[in-house]
């Protein structure tokens, strides 16, 4: 099932439901969570993480992966050799 809800609409819904979700008991949380999942199409665990996180703190992009090993000049030469070797 595809969801046609925009990202902004999901964010607004998250804020509104989170206000009710955090102070609720576990039965009410389960009901709110089920409705949030049905409306947004999120996976259950992802929805729980979103509802429990602090929205006032911005999400920091972590620098993932290994650091670059070669500069642009070396990459260009390696690409030339790769194409010369029939991209093997």
């Amino acid at each position: 099932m595809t969801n046609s809800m925009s990202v902004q609409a999901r964010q607004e819904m998250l804020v509104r439901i989170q206000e009710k979700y955090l102070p609720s008991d576990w039965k009410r949380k389960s009901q709110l969570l089920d409705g949030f999942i049905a409306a947004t199409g999120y996976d259950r665990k992802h929805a729980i993480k979103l509802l429990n996180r602090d929205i006032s703190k911005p999400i920091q992009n972590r620098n993932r992966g290994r650091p670059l090993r070669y500069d642009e000049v070396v990459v260009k030469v390696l690409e030339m050799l790769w194409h010369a070797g029939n991209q093997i």
Side-chain angles (χ1 to χ4, degrees):
M1 179 171 116
T2 60
N3 195 341
S4 62
M5 184 181 276
S6 71
V7 175
Q8 184 178 3
R10 286 185 209 159
Q11 191 66 25
E12 291 171 3
M13 179 180 268
L14 172 64
V15 171
R16 279 187 267 125
I17 291 181
Q18 190 179 37
E19 293 170 355
K20 299 174 189 175
Y21 181 84
L22 290 175
S24 298
D25 64 338
W26 67 272
K27 284 185 181 180
R28 180 72 177 136
K29 283 185 179 185
S30 180
Q31 293 170 347
L32 290 168
L33 183 61
D34 290 340
F36 183 64
I37 290 169
T40 60
Y42 287 139
D43 185 55
R44 189 170 188 85
K45 288 293 183 179
H46 182 65
I48 291 170
K49 287 179 185 179
L50 288 176
L51 289 169
N52 283 324
R53 76 178 167 100
D54 188 6
I55 294 179
S56 63
K57 294 180 183 178
I59 298 174
Q60 296 177 349
N61 290 334
R62 291 183 283 167
N63 189 8
R64 295 179 182 230
R66 293 183 182 184
L68 295 177
R69 183 178 283 192
Y70 305 114
D71 60 356
E72 277 187 50
V73 176
V74 175
V75 170
K76 292 286 185 191
V77 172
L78 288 173
E79 283 180 357
M80 283 179 20
L81 291 171
W82 180 57
H83 285 291
N86 207 13
Q87 300 177 354
I88 56 172

